[in-house]
Amino acid sequence: MTTSAHSVIAIDGPAASGKSSVARALAAELEFAHIDTGSMYRALTWRLLELGVDTKDPEQVKNALSEIQIDTEIGDGRLVQRLDGHDPIAFIKEDKVSGAVSEVAAVPEVRECLVGLQRQLLISGNLVMEGRDIGSHVFPETPYKFYMDADAEVRAQRRAAEGSVEQIATRDKQDSTRKAAPLAVAEGAQVIDTTYLSLEEVVAEVRSRLGDLSTQEVSTFFSQERNRKPHPCLLFTALVIRFSGVWQKGFFITKFSGVRT
Ligand code: DC
């Protein structure tokens, strides 16, 4: 049985609830890696749009997914991604990506693939992972689950202040009504309403609720995962790595171990 002695702090919540800023600050304080899983759904959406895929058509998305090589690693305390060799970081906040990402994130095969990658990242070290389903689905065994919420109007104002025209209400609805792992408060999650709190206040609140991290261990999720067949995207990536010989540098280790269990 493979187990992990690393810890993961799961932070979920709707768009503009403040979870990204909190996750980043908390990760820096604790010296954990910060993993923004929304950026994984965004990066894939960007690549699909680049390839001319109709993101409204789940069948097209599913077929294109099997052709896209996704590489992830942790570098400098954060997630680094490459899709078919391209770094998507400069494009993932584009309006066209924000407009299509909920459709892509609703496709079960997409979720299965990206969740597999997210779970593998725990091998690399301690994580603060933020998203919509981290406490409910990706790492349900972690004792450290938080759900950030804020008034919908305040969240829309926060996005507008960032210069984004994102349709928060539409995305909330899409994210919380989809069939596959919808946005929901995970069992055992601690809910924090950030509407009237500063970033520092939220981080302090999370810290005080975390208690003494060092005395506890997280999850034996690999024991549950080991009998499951890895998603084809992980296998595909592993083969590419193997034939190119790059994996020997350890660059893609998070994925290769997914096939080894
Ligand atoms: O956090 P964000 O706004 O960057 O997320 C982008 C989209 O990805 C959002 O529509 C919900 C989806 N998402 C998801 O379904 N599951 C996650 N763990 C993270 C994001």
Side-chain angles (χ1 to χ4, degrees), residues 166-245:
E166 217 177 326
Q167 299 301 317
I168 294 277
T170 313
R171 214 140 65 77
D172 278 359
K173 186 156 179 247
Q174 284 174 317
D175 292 341
S176 47
T177 56
R178 69 173 176 233
K179 285 208 181 89
L183 169 69
V185 182
E187 207 185 312
Q190 307 212 33
V191 181
I192 299 179
D193 185 339
T194 69
T195 309
Y196 303 109
L197 298 178
S198 68
L199 171 61
E200 293 73 23
E201 286 171 322
V202 182
V203 173
E205 184 62 30
V206 173
R207 285 299 307 263
S208 79
R209 294 190 194 193
L210 274 175
D212 183 5
L213 255 183
S214 61
T215 60
Q216 303 187 47
E217 268 198 0
V218 86
S219 108
T220 51
F221 72 93
F222 283 111
S223 61
Q224 296 177 6
E225 285 302 301
R226 70 191 293 268
N227 294 327
R228 270 211 229 158
K229 227 171 132 211
H231 188 272
C233 84
L234 299 183
L235 273 173
F236 173 75
T237 307
L239 287 173
V240 171
I241 291 164
R242 196 149 187 197
F243 289 137
S244 68

Side-chain angles (χ1 to χ4, degrees), residues 9 24-33 126 128 206-207 210 213:
I9 299 171
R24 201 175 303 114
L26 192 65
E29 261 191 44
L30 298 171
E31 297 189 354
F32 282 23
N126 295 317
V128 177
V206 173
R207 285 299 307 263
L210 274 175
L213 255 183

Side-chain angles (χ1 to χ4, degrees), residues 149-170:
D149 210 350
D151 183 83
E153 216 167 288
V154 169
R155 290 190 291 113
Q157 283 165 10
R158 287 176 183 168
R159 277 291 187 264
E162 290 166 4
S164 168
V165 293
E166 217 177 326
Q167 299 301 317
I168 294 277
T170 313

